[in-house]
Amino acid sequence: MKKLKKVLVLIGLIVTFGGMSQAVSANEFNFSVTPVRPENQIGDSGYFNLQMAPGQSQVLTVTLTNSTEKTVVVEESIASATTNINGVIEYSPNKIKADKSLKYNISDYAKMPAEITLTPKSTQQVKVEVTMPNEPFSGVIAGGITFKEKGSDEASSKSKGISIQNKYAYVVALLMQQDPTPVAPDLKLMSVVPGQVNYRNVVNANLQNPNAGYLNQMYVQATVKGLSNTKLSYTVDKEMMQMAPNTNFDYPISIGEGKRIEAGKYQLEMTVYGQKSDNGKYTYKDAQGKEQKFDYQWQFTKEFTISGQTAKKLNAKDVTIKPEPWYKNWLIWAGIILVLLALFFLFFLLWKRRKDDEEDEIEGTETETLQSQIEAIKEQLKD
């Protein structure tokens, strides 16, 4: 039976530094989540955005309400903000590795119970203890608090041999900073390597924001050109992406459905714009000639090589690539040639053996004839 895991994360409060979107409908939940804004809250936001002094500790409050007739157990966790492959910030726990530039992981500076039990028709307050690092720093420590009903990911539905698993969670963003003045983001190109997304060949350009500031409204223009084969060129442009502070992510450049990735040398050319602004000093014109202005711009050029072994492995795993016809497979041709050579060699051995036998037979016959003649001559001489 095929299994398909469908993850549905309903985010109660989603943060974009300098702006946010409110909760969507939460009909799938058996409980609700309401953060209680403290006095040191920055702005009138629906998530925690705290201004704290070095070494300061405080307790935050989140109200959980169970409006159902059954007992609900809620699991709770805290995770540092990350950026996923789509250029979307995630505030819930995931498998994305922390970036090397992350000095303060919010999970080390915030504590809360692992789970809480809500009796039917009840309300409880969850206490979250947060502590600001002792040393002064500029920027923001970003993360999120996740609330998930225990066992909610165990319920699944089955249809036509496909198992669909649903997960629902509230995520409340948690930001901590000592100075509300935003820190400018930065961008670095860390690596360019071939890879796969959903079993399809891509070239991954890893981008890093090593600063403790959000990079908003990213617009990326990226082109990979073949140097060994100048006919190869792949371009992927994408806008309205975002990066969390001190994170990195792979920007995938697709080579196209059904296309084989070739071994050889390549060059990546990339331009990244950030933070739209009417007064931005960097201007981009789209295909319709409309101008967009940005506060930030980065340009990267990097050469890289794809080995034959790597290309072979990736092509074998790409689900969109059809197997090559047998007559294009050099291994088959090599096998055919080897078989023909073996047959020719065997034929030659049989032919040579037969020829040698015939020569031996002729030589033996001639010897017998000569011997008979000699014997006849001897008899005549006797007479």
Side-chain angles (χ1 to χ4, degrees):
M1 178 180 292
K2 296 181 179 179
K3 292 184 178 180
L4 175 63
K5 185 177 181 181
K6 181 180 180 183
V7 180
L8 300 178
V9 179
L10 298 184
I11 300 182
L13 299 167
I14 307 175
V15 61
T16 52
F17 194 54
M20 60 89 67
S21 59
Q22 282 291 347
V24 294
S25 173
N27 294 332
E28 300 292 341
F29 289 94
N30 290 318
F31 66 97
S32 62
V33 176
T34 306
V36 180
R37 289 193 297 251
E39 293 183 356
N40 57 334
Q41 175 84 9
I42 301 174
D44 188 22
S45 54
Y47 55 91
F48 291 118
N49 188 5
L50 312 176
Q51 182 176 356
M52 302 172 66
Q56 177 184 345
S57 295
Q58 73 179 90
V59 176
L60 305 176
T61 301
V62 181
T63 301
L64 302 187
T65 301
N66 175 14
S67 58
T68 70
E69 298 290 346
K70 66 177 183 178
T71 298
V72 177
V73 179
V74 180
E75 295 178 325
E76 304 161 345
S77 59
I78 298 174
S80 181
T82 55
T83 305
N84 66 27
I85 199 170
N86 297 309
V88 175
I89 296 177
E90 294 190 14
Y91 294 90
S92 56
N94 54 62
K95 296 181 180 180
I96 301 174
K97 293 183 179 180
D99 188 75
K100 294 180 179 179
S101 68
L102 182 64
K103 185 176 181 180
Y104 304 111
N105 191 318
I106 203 166
S107 61
D108 298 328
Y109 297 90
K111 298 179 181 178
M112 65 186 303
E115 64 180 39
I116 186 173
T117 300
L118 300 175
T119 57
K121 300 290 185 178
S122 68
T123 296
Q124 288 195 47
Q125 291 186 331
V126 177
K127 302 298 181 180
V128 184
E129 182 180 349
V130 296
T131 302
M132 179 64 71
N134 291 321
E135 55 270 27
F137 75 92
S138 298
V140 57
I141 302 175
I145 309 170
T146 299
F147 300 91
K148 184 184 71 171
E149 183 177 353
K150 189 172 185 179
S152 64
D153 56 349
E154 296 176 359
S156 62
S157 59
K158 297 181 180 180
S159 175
K160 296 182 179 180
I162 299 177
S163 177
I164 300 177
Q165 189 177 72
N166 299 321
K167 291 186 178 182
Y168 303 97
Y170 271 111
V171 181
V172 179
L174 171 59
L175 308 184
M176 297 165 52
Q177 51 198 312
Q178 297 178 10
D179 185 348
T181 304
V183 169
D186 192 12
L187 198 64
K188 298 182 182 298
L189 176 63
M190 304 302 290
S191 63
V192 185
V193 294
Q196 289 191 330
V197 175
N198 295 327
Y199 297 98
R200 288 161 174 80
N201 290 338
V202 299
V203 173
N204 283 320
N206 184 263
L207 296 171
Q208 180 201 47
N209 173 18
N211 287 2
Y214 280 83
L215 175 52
N216 297 318
Q217 297 170 312
M218 288 177 64
Y219 177 34
V220 180
Q221 297 173 296
T223 298
V224 171
K225 295 181 179 179
L227 298 180
S228 301
N229 183 354
T230 56
K231 295 181 180 180
L232 299 178
S233 181
Y234 315 113
T235 299
V236 175
D237 297 348
K238 191 173 181 180
E239 60 182 345
M240 294 308 294
M241 294 187 294
Q242 186 185 28
M243 289 190 72
N246 304 110
T247 62
N248 73 83
F249 79 105
D250 287 333
Y251 180 80
I253 303 164
S254 173
I255 69 167
E257 294 276 321
K259 293 183 178 179
R260 292 179 174 273
I261 196 165
E262 291 189 13
K265 293 184 178 180
Y266 294 82
Q267 179 174 278
L268 168 72
E269 294 179 355
M270 175 181 282
T271 301
V272 183
Y273 299 91
Q275 193 61 55
K276 290 183 180 181
S277 172
D278 292 337
N279 300 318
K281 63 179 181 178
Y282 301 102
T283 302
Y284 164 74
K285 286 186 178 181
D286 58 23
Q288 288 73 36
K290 183 180 178 181
E291 288 189 351
Q292 297 184 57
K293 293 185 177 182
F294 297 84
D295 287 337
Y296 308 107
Q297 182 195 67
W298 296 270
Q299 292 179 316
F300 305 107
T301 300
K302 189 177 183 65
E303 293 185 4
F304 62 100
T305 301
I306 300 177
S307 68
Q309 184 177 9
T310 299
K312 182 180 179 181
K313 288 182 178 179
L314 292 174
N315 290 333
K317 294 179 180 179
D318 191 314
V319 296
T320 68
I321 295 178
K322 296 180 180 180
E324 287 188 338
W326 68 269
Y327 53 82
K328 288 187 177 181
N329 192 319
W330 68 270
L331 288 174
I332 294 179
W333 279 112
I336 292 174
I337 292 172
L338 287 175
V339 171
L340 291 176
L341 288 174
L343 290 174
F344 176 80
F345 183 69
L346 180 61
F347 174 79
F348 175 77
L349 289 178
L350 293 174
W351 172 81
K352 192 173 186 309
R353 182 175 179 181
R354 182 175 179 182
K355 184 177 180 182
D356 291 342
D357 291 343
E358 289 178 349
E359 289 179 352
D360 290 342
E361 184 178 350
I362 293 173
E363 184 178 350
T365 302
E366 290 178 348
T367 301
E368 290 179 0
T369 302
L370 181 59
Q371 186 68 30
S372 299
Q373 292 176 351
I374 293 173
E375 293 294 331
I377 293 172
K378 285 183 179 180
E379 289 296 330
Q380 291 178 1
L381 291 175
K382 289 180 180 179
D383 294 339

